[in-house]
Coordinates of all heavy atoms in Angstrom, one line a residue:
Chain G
N648 N 40.1 24.5 -70.1 CA 41.1 23.9 -71.0 C 40.4 23.3 -72.1 O 41.1 22.4 -72.9 CB 41.8 22.8 -70.2 CG 41.0 21.5 -69.9 OD1 39.8 21.8 -69.7 ND2 41.6 20.4 -69.8
Y649 N 39.2 23.7 -72.6 CA 38.5 23.2 -73.7 C 39.0 23.8 -75.0 O 38.2 24.5 -75.7 CB 37.0 23.4 -73.6 CG 36.4 22.3 -72.6 CD1 36.0 22.8 -71.3 CD2 36.2 21.0 -73.0 CE1 35.5 21.8 -70.4 CE2 35.6 20.1 -72.1 CZ 35.3 20.5 -70.8 OH 34.7 19.6 -69.9
L650 N 40.3 23.6 -75.3 CA 40.9 24.2 -76.5 C 41.7 23.1 -77.2 O 42.4 22.3 -76.6 CB 41.7 25.4 -76.1 CG 42.3 26.2 -77.3 CD1 41.5 27.5 -77.4 CD2 43.7 26.3 -77.4
A651 N 41.6 23.2 -78.5 CA 42.4 22.3 -79.4 C 43.1 23.1 -80.4 O 42.8 24.2 -80.8 CB 41.5 21.2 -80.1
Y653 N 44.8 22.7 -84.5 CA 44.8 21.9 -85.7 C 45.8 22.5 -86.6 O 46.1 23.7 -86.7 CB 43.4 22.0 -86.4 CG 42.3 21.4 -85.6 CD1 41.5 22.1 -84.6 CD2 41.8 20.1 -85.9 CE1 40.6 21.6 -83.9 CE2 40.8 19.5 -85.1 CZ 40.2 20.3 -84.2 OH 39.2 19.8 -83.4
Q655 N 46.7 22.9 -90.8 CA 46.1 22.7 -92.2 C 47.2 23.0 -93.2 O 47.7 24.2 -93.2 CB 44.9 23.5 -92.3 CG 44.2 23.2 -93.7 CD 42.9 24.0 -93.9 OE1 42.8 25.1 -93.4 NE2 41.9 23.4 -94.6
G658 N 45.4 22.8 -99.5 CA 44.7 21.7 -100.3 C 44.3 20.5 -99.4 O 43.8 19.5 -100.0
Q659 N 44.6 20.6 -98.1 CA 44.3 19.5 -97.3 C 43.4 19.8 -96.2 O 43.1 21.0 -95.9 CB 45.6 18.9 -96.6 CG 46.6 18.3 -97.5 CD 47.8 17.8 -96.8 OE1 47.8 17.5 -95.6 NE2 49.0 17.6 -97.5
A660 N 42.8 18.8 -95.5 CA 41.8 19.0 -94.4 C 42.7 19.3 -93.1 O 43.8 19.0 -93.1 CB 41.1 17.8 -94.2
P661 N 42.1 20.0 -92.2 CA 42.8 20.2 -90.9 C 43.1 18.8 -90.2 O 42.3 17.9 -90.4 CB 41.7 21.0 -90.1 CG 40.9 21.7 -91.1 CD 40.8 20.7 -92.2
R662 N 44.1 18.9 -89.4 CA 44.5 17.7 -88.6 C 44.6 18.1 -87.2 O 45.4 19.1 -86.9 CB 45.8 17.1 -89.2 CG 46.4 16.0 -88.5 CD 47.6 15.4 -89.1 NE 48.8 16.2 -89.0 CZ 50.0 15.7 -88.9 NH1 50.2 14.5 -88.8 NH2 51.1 16.6 -88.8
L663 N 44.0 17.3 -86.3 CA 44.2 17.6 -84.9 C 45.5 17.2 -84.4 O 46.1 16.2 -84.6 CB 43.1 16.7 -84.1 CG 43.1 16.8 -82.6 CD1 42.6 18.2 -82.2 CD2 42.2 15.7 -82.0
Y666 N 44.9 18.5 -78.0 CA 43.5 18.7 -77.5 C 43.5 18.9 -76.0 O 44.5 18.6 -75.3 CB 42.7 17.4 -77.8 CG 43.1 16.1 -77.1 CD1 42.5 15.7 -76.0 CD2 44.2 15.4 -77.6 CE1 43.0 14.5 -75.3 CE2 44.6 14.2 -77.0 CZ 44.0 13.8 -75.9 OH 44.4 12.7 -75.2
D667 N 42.5 19.5 -75.5 CA 42.4 19.9 -74.0 C 43.6 20.7 -73.6 O 44.2 20.5 -72.6 CB 42.3 18.6 -73.2 CG 41.0 17.9 -73.4 OD1 40.1 18.4 -74.0 OD2 40.9 16.8 -72.8
R671 N 49.0 15.9 -76.6 CA 49.4 15.6 -77.9 C 48.6 14.4 -78.4 O 48.5 13.4 -77.8 CB 50.8 15.5 -78.0 CG 51.5 15.8 -79.3 CD 53.0 16.0 -79.3 NE 53.6 15.0 -78.3 CZ 54.2 15.4 -77.3 NH1 54.3 16.6 -76.9 NH2 54.8 14.4 -76.5
V672 N 48.1 14.5 -79.7 CA 47.4 13.4 -80.3 C 48.5 12.3 -80.7 O 49.7 12.6 -81.0 CB 46.8 13.9 -81.6 CG1 46.4 12.7 -82.5 CG2 45.6 14.7 -81.3
T673 N 48.1 11.1 -80.6 CA 49.0 10.0 -80.9 C 49.6 10.2 -82.3 O 48.9 10.4 -83.3 CB 48.3 8.6 -80.9 OG1 47.8 8.4 -79.6 CG2 49.2 7.5 -81.3
Y704 N 45.2 26.5 -86.5 CA 44.0 27.1 -86.0 C 43.8 26.5 -84.5 O 44.0 25.3 -84.2 CB 42.7 26.6 -86.8 CG 42.7 27.2 -88.2 CD1 43.2 26.4 -89.3 CD2 42.1 28.4 -88.4 CE1 43.1 27.0 -90.5 CE2 42.1 28.9 -89.7 CZ 42.6 28.2 -90.8 OH 42.6 28.7 -92.0
Q706 N 40.7 26.0 -81.6 CA 39.2 25.8 -81.5 C 38.8 25.6 -80.0 O 39.5 25.0 -79.2 CB 38.8 24.5 -82.3 CG 37.3 24.2 -82.3 CD 37.0 22.8 -82.6 OE1 37.9 21.9 -82.6 NE2 35.8 22.5 -83.0
Q707 N 37.7 26.2 -79.7 CA 37.1 26.0 -78.4 C 35.8 25.3 -78.4 O 35.1 25.5 -79.4 CB 37.0 27.3 -77.6 CG 36.0 28.3 -78.1 CD 34.5 28.0 -77.7 OE1 34.3 27.4 -76.6 NE2 33.6 28.5 -78.4
R708 N 35.5 24.5 -77.4 CA 34.1 23.8 -77.3 C 33.5 24.0 -75.9 O 32.7 23.2 -75.6 CB 34.2 22.4 -77.8 CG 35.0 21.5 -76.9 CD 34.9 20.1 -77.5 NE 35.6 19.1 -76.6 CZ 34.9 18.5 -75.7 NH1 33.8 18.8 -75.2 NH2 35.6 17.6 -74.9
W711 N 29.4 26.3 -77.2 CA 29.3 26.0 -78.6 C 30.7 25.7 -79.2 O 31.6 25.2 -78.6 CB 28.7 27.2 -79.4 CG 27.1 27.3 -79.1 CD1 26.6 27.9 -78.1 CD2 26.1 26.5 -79.7 NE1 25.2 27.7 -78.1 CE2 24.9 26.9 -79.1 CE3 26.1 25.6 -80.8 CZ2 23.7 26.3 -79.5 CZ3 24.9 25.1 -81.2 CH2 23.7 25.5 -80.6
L712 N 30.9 26.0 -80.5 CA 32.2 25.7 -81.1 C 32.6 26.9 -82.0 O 31.9 27.3 -82.8 CB 32.0 24.5 -82.1 CG 31.7 23.1 -81.4 CD1 31.0 22.2 -82.4 CD2 33.1 22.6 -80.9
F714 N 36.3 28.7 -83.9 CA 37.7 28.6 -84.3 C 38.3 30.0 -84.3 O 37.6 31.0 -84.5 CB 37.8 28.1 -85.8 CG 37.4 26.6 -85.9 CD1 36.1 26.3 -86.2 CD2 38.3 25.7 -85.8 CE1 35.7 24.9 -86.3 CE2 38.0 24.3 -85.9 CZ 36.7 24.0 -86.2
G715 N 39.6 30.0 -84.1 CA 40.3 31.3 -84.3 C 40.6 31.5 -85.9 O 40.3 30.7 -86.6
G716 N 41.1 32.7 -86.1 CA 41.3 33.1 -87.5 C 42.5 32.4 -88.2 O 42.7 32.6 -89.4
Chain Q
H308 N 30.1 16.0 -87.4 CA 30.0 17.5 -87.6 C 30.2 17.8 -89.1 O 31.0 17.1 -89.8 CB 31.0 18.2 -86.8 CG 30.9 18.1 -85.3 ND1 30.3 19.1 -84.5 CD2 31.1 17.0 -84.4 CE1 30.3 18.7 -83.3 NE2 30.8 17.4 -83.2
V310 N 31.9 21.3 -91.0 CA 32.7 22.5 -90.9 C 33.0 23.0 -92.3 O 33.3 22.2 -93.1 CB 34.1 22.2 -90.1 CG1 34.8 23.5 -89.9 CG2 33.8 21.7 -88.7
Q312 N 34.8 26.1 -94.9 CA 35.9 27.1 -95.1 C 35.8 27.8 -96.4 O 35.9 27.3 -97.5 CB 37.3 26.4 -95.1 CG 38.5 27.2 -95.1 CD 39.8 26.4 -94.8 OE1 39.9 25.3 -95.2 NE2 40.7 27.1 -94.1
K316 N 39.8 31.7 -96.4 CA 39.4 32.1 -95.1 C 39.6 31.0 -94.1 O 40.1 29.9 -94.3 CB 37.9 32.5 -95.1 CG 37.6 33.6 -96.1 CD 38.3 34.9 -95.7 CE 37.9 36.0 -96.7 NZ 38.6 37.3 -96.4
G317 N 39.1 31.3 -92.8 CA 39.3 30.4 -91.8 C 38.1 29.3 -91.7 O 37.3 29.3 -92.6
L318 N 38.1 28.6 -90.6 CA 37.2 27.6 -90.4 C 35.9 28.0 -89.7 O 36.0 28.8 -88.8 CB 37.8 26.4 -89.6 CG 39.1 25.8 -90.2 CD1 39.8 24.9 -89.2 CD2 38.7 25.0 -91.4
E319 N 34.8 27.5 -90.1 CA 33.4 27.8 -89.5 C 32.7 26.6 -89.2 O 32.3 25.9 -90.1 CB 32.6 28.8 -90.3 CG 31.3 29.2 -89.7 CD 30.3 29.9 -90.6 OE1 30.6 29.9 -91.8 OE2 29.4 30.6 -90.1
W320 N 32.4 26.3 -87.9 CA 31.5 25.1 -87.6 C 30.1 25.4 -88.1 O 29.6 26.5 -88.0 CB 31.5 25.0 -86.1 CG 30.5 23.9 -85.6 CD1 30.7 22.5 -85.7 CD2 29.2 24.1 -85.1 NE1 29.6 21.9 -85.2 CE2 28.7 22.8 -84.9 CE3 28.4 25.2 -84.9 CZ2 27.4 22.6 -84.3 CZ3 27.1 25.0 -84.3 CH2 26.7 23.8 -84.1
R323 N 26.1 19.8 -86.1 CA 26.4 18.6 -85.5 C 25.2 17.7 -85.4 O 24.1 18.1 -85.3 CB 26.9 19.0 -84.0 CG 27.2 17.9 -83.1 CD 26.4 18.1 -81.8 NE 25.1 17.5 -81.8 CZ 24.1 17.9 -81.0 NH1 24.3 18.7 -80.0 NH2 22.9 17.3 -81.1
S332 N 22.2 20.2 -84.0 CA 22.4 21.7 -83.8 C 23.0 22.4 -84.9 O 23.8 21.7 -85.7 CB 23.1 21.8 -82.5 OG 24.5 21.4 -82.5
Y333 N 22.8 23.7 -85.0 CA 23.3 24.4 -86.2 C 23.9 25.8 -85.8 O 23.5 26.3 -84.8 CB 22.1 24.6 -87.2 CG 21.5 23.4 -87.7 CD1 20.4 22.8 -87.0 CD2 22.0 22.8 -88.9 CE1 19.9 21.6 -87.5 CE2 21.4 21.6 -89.3 CZ 20.3 21.1 -88.6 OH 19.7 19.8 -89.1
A334 N 24.8 26.3 -86.6 CA 25.3 27.7 -86.5 C 24.1 28.6 -86.9 O 23.3 28.2 -87.8 CB 26.4 27.8 -87.3
K338 N 21.0 28.2 -89.6 CA 19.8 27.5 -89.1 C 18.5 27.9 -89.9 O 18.3 29.0 -90.4 CB 19.6 28.2 -87.7 CG 18.7 27.5 -86.8 CD 18.9 28.0 -85.3 CE 20.2 27.8 -84.7 NZ 20.2 28.4 -83.3
Y368 N 33.6 20.3 -95.0 CA 34.3 19.2 -94.4 C 33.4 18.5 -93.4 O 32.7 19.1 -92.7 CB 35.6 19.6 -93.6 CG 36.7 20.2 -94.4 CD1 36.8 21.6 -94.3 CD2 37.6 19.5 -95.1 CE1 37.9 22.2 -95.1 CE2 38.6 20.1 -95.8 CZ 38.7 21.4 -95.8 OH 39.8 22.1 -96.4
N375 N 38.3 9.3 -78.2 CA 39.6 9.0 -77.8 C 40.4 10.3 -77.5 O 41.4 10.2 -76.8 CB 40.3 8.2 -78.9 CG 39.8 6.8 -79.0 OD1 39.6 6.1 -78.0 ND2 39.5 6.4 -80.2
Y376 N 40.0 11.4 -78.1 CA 40.6 12.7 -77.9 C 39.7 13.7 -77.2 O 39.5 14.8 -77.7 CB 41.2 13.2 -79.2 CG 42.2 12.3 -79.7 CD1 42.2 11.8 -81.0 CD2 43.4 11.9 -79.0 CE1 43.1 11.0 -81.6 CE2 44.3 11.0 -79.5 CZ 44.2 10.6 -80.7 OH 45.1 9.7 -81.3
N377 N 38.8 13.2 -76.3 CA 37.9 13.9 -75.5 C 37.0 14.8 -76.4 O 36.7 15.9 -76.2 CB 38.6 14.9 -74.6 CG 37.7 15.4 -73.4 OD1 36.7 14.7 -73.2 ND2 38.0 16.5 -72.8
N378 N 36.5 14.1 -77.5 CA 35.5 14.6 -78.4 C 35.9 15.8 -79.3 O 35.0 16.5 -79.7 CB 34.3 15.0 -77.6 CG 33.6 13.8 -76.9 OD1 33.5 12.7 -77.6 ND2 33.3 13.9 -75.6
W379 N 37.2 15.9 -79.5 CA 37.6 16.8 -80.5 C 37.5 16.2 -81.9 O 37.2 15.1 -82.1 CB 39.0 17.3 -80.2 CG 39.1 18.1 -79.0 CD1 39.5 17.6 -77.7 CD2 38.7 19.4 -78.7 NE1 39.3 18.6 -76.8 CE2 38.9 19.7 -77.3 CE3 38.3 20.4 -79.6 CZ2 38.7 21.0 -76.9 CZ3 38.0 21.7 -79.1 CH2 38.2 22.0 -77.7
F380 N 37.8 17.0 -83.0 CA 37.4 16.6 -84.3 C 38.6 15.8 -84.9 O 39.7 16.4 -85.3 CB 37.1 17.8 -85.2 CG 35.9 18.6 -84.8 CD1 35.1 18.1 -83.7 CD2 35.4 19.6 -85.6 CE1 33.9 18.8 -83.4 CE2 34.3 20.4 -85.2 CZ 33.5 19.9 -84.2
D381 N 38.4 14.5 -85.1 CA 39.4 13.7 -85.7 C 38.9 12.4 -86.1 O 38.3 11.7 -85.4 CB 40.5 13.4 -84.6 CG 41.5 12.3 -85.1 OD1 42.4 12.7 -86.0 OD2 41.4 11.2 -84.7
P382 N 39.0 12.1 -87.4 CA 39.7 12.9 -88.5 C 38.6 13.8 -89.2 O 37.4 13.8 -88.8 CB 40.2 11.8 -89.5 CG 39.1 10.8 -89.4 CD 38.6 10.7 -88.0
W383 N 39.1 14.4 -90.3 CA 38.3 15.2 -91.2 C 38.3 14.5 -92.6 O 39.3 13.9 -92.9 CB 38.9 16.6 -91.3 CG 38.9 17.4 -90.0 CD1 39.4 17.0 -88.8 CD2 38.5 18.7 -89.8 NE1 39.4 18.0 -87.9 CE2 38.7 19.1 -88.5 CE3 37.8 19.7 -90.6 CZ2 38.5 20.4 -88.0 CZ3 37.5 20.9 -90.1 CH2 37.8 21.3 -88.7
G384 N 37.3 14.8 -93.3 CA 37.3 14.4 -94.7 C 38.1 15.4 -95.5 O 38.6 16.3 -95.0
Q385 N 38.2 15.1 -96.8 CA 39.0 15.9 -97.7 C 38.3 17.1 -98.2 O 38.9 18.1 -98.7 CB 39.6 15.2 -98.9 CG 38.7 15.1 -100.1 CD 37.4 14.2 -99.9 OE1 37.3 13.5 -98.9 NE2 36.5 14.4 -100.8
G386 N 37.0 17.2 -98.0 CA 36.2 18.3 -98.3 C 35.6 18.3 -99.7 O 36.1 17.6 -100.6

Side-chain angles (χ1 to χ4, degrees):
Chain G
N648 70 331
Y649 283 102
L650 190 110
Y653 297 84
Q655 187 178 34
Q659 296 185 17
R662 177 175 70 147
L663 180 66
Y666 67 98
D667 294 349
R671 202 166 39 248
V672 168
T673 301
Y704 293 95
Q706 180 198 18
Q707 68 82 23
R708 64 178 186 85
W711 285 95
L712 290 159
F714 291 90
Chain Q
H308 297 257
V310 178
Q312 185 170 36
K316 302 297 184 183
L318 301 167
E319 179 189 16
W320 174 79
R323 174 231 84 199
S332 62
Y333 301 91
K338 197 174 296 182
Y368 297 100
N375 289 315
Y376 298 126
N377 199 21
N378 296 315
W379 294 97
F380 294 1
D381 171 75
W383 300 50
Q385 87 291 347

